[in-house]
Amino acid sequence: MPELPEVEALRGFLDENLLGKEIARMMPVAISVLKTYDPPLTALEGGEVTSVRRHGKFLDIGTAGGLHLVFHLARAGWLQWKDVLPSGMPRPGKGPLALRAALTGGDGFDLTEAGTTKRLAVHLVHDPAEVPGVARLGPDPLADDFDRDAFAALLAGERRQIKGALRDQSLIAGIGNAYSDEILHAARMSPYKLTSRLGEDEITGLYEAMRTTLTDAVERSRGLAAGRLKAEKKSGLRVHGRTGEPCPVCGDTVREVSFHDSSLQYCPRCQTGGKPLADRRLSRLLK
């Protein structure tokens, strides 16, 4: 799933390649991706792109007419930029193409989604806050005013496992499964540690790990073409998706806990005092 660093990199890419251009045609291929119907997508046609913004994991393309195309790539969605789009209308089918945006210069982008679970969501609204997922977002962890004390204040009212708290978009926007693993590894903290049991030094360490991990990932992705971002994300991860490999910090074997629709990875020596976590849902440290 694209998370804050990849979505921020896509924002930067679109800012360079889309800003100031005119939309010629919007072509929905998988109608299920459209979560709004008024105004219709055709209302974008003839409009100039005036802004590209990010809200958590959402991308927001604004036009001179005051409309915003807001989309969330979900787990298997992606944006593919094309300097020359294929001619003609794309045909609905079993392929990954969900929506095509054509510009007057002949270039444009496709929104695609792999797999059978379709969660890619596209909204056309007058205000991004009309999108429920955007309206409920917590603060951006890389915002200038999101300091250590603001982070501590968010955690003060929480009593749950820290990994779940980091992934909660209404608490902190933009962090998902992969980067929560990376942040907790950098902070040398168990994913099952309760937020209510974090000491002041642990909060400071977790905040610094979060800012550093996300900032470094954004910098690695900055300036890359959209098609190279997935590979860059994978290459930069230390523990997530690396079950069975040696931890790059201590050399211990990276372990995994599997759930019904996801998994987490961690280093026992760095994060759990050398004790493996039981590989079952809602598991606790083995004693």
Side-chain angles (χ1 to χ4, degrees):
M1 176 185 290
E3 299 179 31
L4 186 156
E6 295 77 50
V7 179
E8 176 61 22
L10 282 175
R11 185 209 60 76
F13 176 85
L14 291 176
D15 193 67
E16 293 181 4
N17 290 275
L18 196 57
L19 208 61
K21 294 186 178 180
E22 182 179 317
I23 298 173
R25 195 167 189 181
M26 296 296 296
M27 294 170 273
V29 178
I31 302 301
S32 61
V33 306
L34 296 177
K35 306 307 178 185
T36 57
Y37 62 91
D38 184 23
L41 280 181
T42 53
L44 287 172
E45 297 174 359
E48 177 187 339
V49 176
T50 56
S51 65
V52 182
R53 297 187 175 94
R54 177 183 60 81
H55 311 283
K57 301 178 192 177
F58 290 83
L59 277 169
D60 167 13
I61 298 173
T63 65
L67 293 176
H68 294 259
L69 183 72
V70 180
F71 54 94
H72 191 291
L73 295 170
R75 175 171 293 183
W78 197 244
L79 183 147
Q80 297 182 357
W81 180 265
K82 297 184 182 295
D83 291 326
V84 180
L85 283 172
S87 59
M89 282 287 292
R91 294 183 179 182
K94 296 181 179 181
L97 181 60
L99 181 144
R100 174 166 291 165
L103 306 175
T104 55
D107 50 353
F109 64 86
D110 289 342
L111 294 182
T112 62
E113 186 171 25
T116 57
T117 303
K118 303 301 182 182
R119 295 180 181 175
L120 176 67
V122 177
H123 308 255
L124 184 59
V125 293
H126 294 281
D127 185 338
E130 295 174 34
V131 179
V134 173
R136 72 179 183 88
L137 287 175
D140 192 291
L142 294 185
D144 291 339
D145 60 353
F146 189 66
D147 58 16
R148 185 267 181 204
D149 290 341
F151 179 59
L154 284 183
L155 297 180
E158 300 294 319
R159 184 177 173 80
R160 51 175 158 165
Q161 293 170 349
I162 188 59
K163 180 172 172 71
L166 290 175
R167 293 184 62 188
D168 184 347
Q169 300 304 294
S170 64
L171 190 71
I172 305 171
I175 301 172
N177 194 33
Y179 285 105
S180 59
D181 282 353
E182 296 298 299
I183 291 166
L184 290 168
H185 178 256
R188 304 181 70 87
M189 186 174 294
S190 169
Y192 292 155
K193 190 174 184 66
L194 293 178
T195 54
S196 58
R197 295 182 180 177
L198 291 175
E200 292 300 316
D201 289 345
E202 290 176 311
I203 292 174
T204 299
L206 182 60
Y207 172 79
E208 292 175 349
M210 176 180 66
R211 294 278 288 204
T212 300
T213 299
L214 295 177
T215 298
D216 288 352
V218 169
E219 288 303 316
R220 288 196 308 270
S221 301
R222 195 182 303 277
L224 293 181
R228 296 176 56 194
L229 289 173
K230 288 184 179 180
E232 171 54 41
K233 175 182 180 178
K234 185 175 181 180
S235 68
L237 298 176
R238 289 182 164 196
V239 291
H240 185 81
R242 299 194 179 279
T243 304
E245 298 180 22
C247 169
V249 174
C250 72
D252 197 5
T253 302
V254 174
R255 306 272 187 120
E256 176 178 306
V257 177
S258 299
F259 304 100
H260 73 282
D261 62 349
S262 66
S263 63
L264 66 83
Q265 284 80 43
Y266 69 100
C267 170
R269 185 178 299 174
C270 290
Q271 297 174 253
T272 60
K275 299 178 181 179
L277 297 170
D279 190 7
R280 64 178 185 272
R281 199 174 185 192
L282 300 179
S283 62
R284 298 179 178 179
L285 281 174
L286 291 175
K287 295 182 179 180

